[in-house]
């Protein structure tokens, strides 16, 4: 197995982990994710009982958020390592997209590695006030970022990193993925915009609490955090 083939596999593994973590977070938020754990779990010299390790639903929802975030940042680690393995000096590559992919992944990896639960940007002096970009994939403008708290808006969010991993695997490492196999049909129809989750239902669920919201003059209904329901004829 070549180094390129090895890192193609590692990148795809990171992508799969991100996809699974995203599914777990969604299911946990919707209350459909099982959180059962063994009554007794023994591994090596240690043993725990259910009461030592079980999660409440609110704890599971909180942890699922960080699980997805960790999987997102590990995409950056896999991208950085993959590019480094096949490009001798990615910082000086003649390909601007390779340079951008490497620097974005490296800077995100550094922020995550030094403070995984509350990352802080640490931008090298020679990378400050610089924009790294791959068109339609990801963009990072490092201007005034050094020392600031990490924010998904700085680089485009988790899906931008997911697309960066795919770009690296296919465009840089030249993976030729086979056609996708038949996927399982989703049990529920869900639309997600940022952290807003909308689930299609056939009827109003029992126990649903009515909310009195005044529509805006243009007919939109504010949902908070910049989200709106829009009349169908104005989409």
């Amino acid at each position: 197995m070549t180094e390129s083939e090895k890192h193609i596999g590692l990148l795809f593994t990171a992508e799969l982990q991100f996809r699974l973590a995203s599914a777990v977070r969604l299911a946990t938020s919707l209350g459909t994710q099982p959180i059962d754990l063994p009554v007794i779990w023994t591994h090596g010299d240690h043993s725990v009982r259910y009461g030592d390790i079980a999660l409440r639903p609110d704890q599971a929802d909180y942890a699922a958020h960080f699980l997805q975030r960790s999987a997102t940042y590990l995409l950056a680690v896999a991208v950085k390592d993959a590019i480094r393995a096949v490009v001798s000096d990615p910082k000086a590559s003649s390909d601007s997209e390779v340079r951008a992919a490497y620097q974005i992944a490296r800077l995100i990896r550094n922020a995550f590695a030094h403070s995984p639960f509350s990352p802080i940007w640490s931008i090298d002096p020679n990378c400050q006030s610089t924009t790294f970009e791959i068109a339609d994939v990801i963009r990072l403008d490092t201007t005034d970022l050094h020392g600031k708290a990490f924010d998904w808006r700085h680089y485009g969010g988790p899906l931008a990193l997911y697309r960066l991993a795919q770009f690296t695997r296919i465009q840089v490492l030249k993976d030729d993925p086979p056609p996708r196999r038949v996927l399982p049909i989703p049990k529920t129809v869900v639309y997600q915009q940022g952290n807003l989750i909308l689930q299609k239902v056939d009827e109003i669920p029992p126990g649903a609490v009515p909310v009195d919201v005044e529509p805006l003059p243009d007919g939109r209904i504010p949902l908070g955090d910049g989200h709106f329901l829009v009349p169908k004829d104005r989409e």
Side-chain angles (χ1 to χ4, degrees):
M1 179 184 292
T2 66
E3 276 295 294
S4 180
E5 291 170 336
K6 171 187 171 183
H7 283 278
I8 284 172
L10 293 175
L11 275 167
F12 190 60
T13 298
E15 292 169 33
L16 289 176
Q17 180 174 267
F18 169 74
R19 287 154 61 180
L20 178 61
S22 299
V24 169
R25 185 183 179 191
L26 177 62
T28 304
S29 296
L30 294 175
T32 59
Q33 173 64 47
I35 52 176
D36 290 340
L37 284 158
V39 175
I40 298 178
W41 179 14
T42 302
H43 195 109
D45 295 333
H46 296 277
S47 179
V48 292
R49 294 183 177 274
Y50 180 78
D52 299 322
I53 199 170
L55 290 159
R56 299 191 311 267
D58 62 307
Q59 292 174 324
D61 191 40
Y62 176 79
H65 164 71
F66 285 95
L67 175 67
Q68 185 189 39
R69 216 160 75 147
S70 296
T72 301
Y73 297 151
L74 283 175
L75 288 169
V77 176
V79 167
K80 178 193 73 71
D81 290 347
I83 295 175
R84 191 70 188 176
V86 300
V87 180
S88 58
D89 187 3
K91 291 183 181 180
S93 173
S94 59
D95 188 327
S96 63
E97 291 189 332
V98 170
R99 290 199 311 273
Y102 179 74
Q103 293 285 35
I104 291 172
R106 184 181 68 84
L107 292 171
I108 289 175
R109 176 265 179 201
N110 289 349
F112 168 59
H114 295 148
S115 184
F117 293 106
S118 54
I120 302 293
W121 287 108
S122 179
I123 310 294
D124 306 273
N126 62 353
C127 290
Q128 294 181 17
S129 300
T130 303
T131 298
F132 300 104
E133 182 173 8
I134 301 171
D136 301 321
V137 176
I138 195 168
R139 182 179 186 273
L140 174 66
D141 181 355
T142 65
T143 304
D144 297 328
L145 281 190
H146 182 68
K148 285 189 175 180
F150 204 77
D151 190 307
W152 71 266
R153 297 169 185 83
H154 296 150
Y155 62 94
L159 294 182
L161 275 179
Y162 177 59
R163 292 304 188 197
L164 177 62
Q166 292 179 318
F167 169 86
T168 302
R169 176 168 55 86
I170 296 170
Q171 301 299 327
V172 180
L173 275 66
K174 307 303 180 185
D175 185 24
D176 184 17
R180 292 289 299 272
R181 298 180 183 178
V182 176
L183 295 173
I185 298 173
K187 295 179 180 178
T188 56
V189 178
V190 173
Y191 297 90
Q192 185 167 346
Q193 187 180 83
N195 290 325
L196 175 68
I197 298 170
L198 299 173
Q199 181 178 350
K200 184 178 181 180
V201 296
D202 295 325
E203 58 184 15
I204 297 176
V209 179
V211 178
D212 186 14
V213 179
E214 186 71 26
L216 299 174
D218 61 5
R220 294 181 300 160
I221 298 175
L223 300 177
D225 294 328
H227 300 284
F228 300 89
L229 286 177
V230 182
K232 190 172 182 180
D233 60 351
R234 299 189 185 182
E235 290 179 342

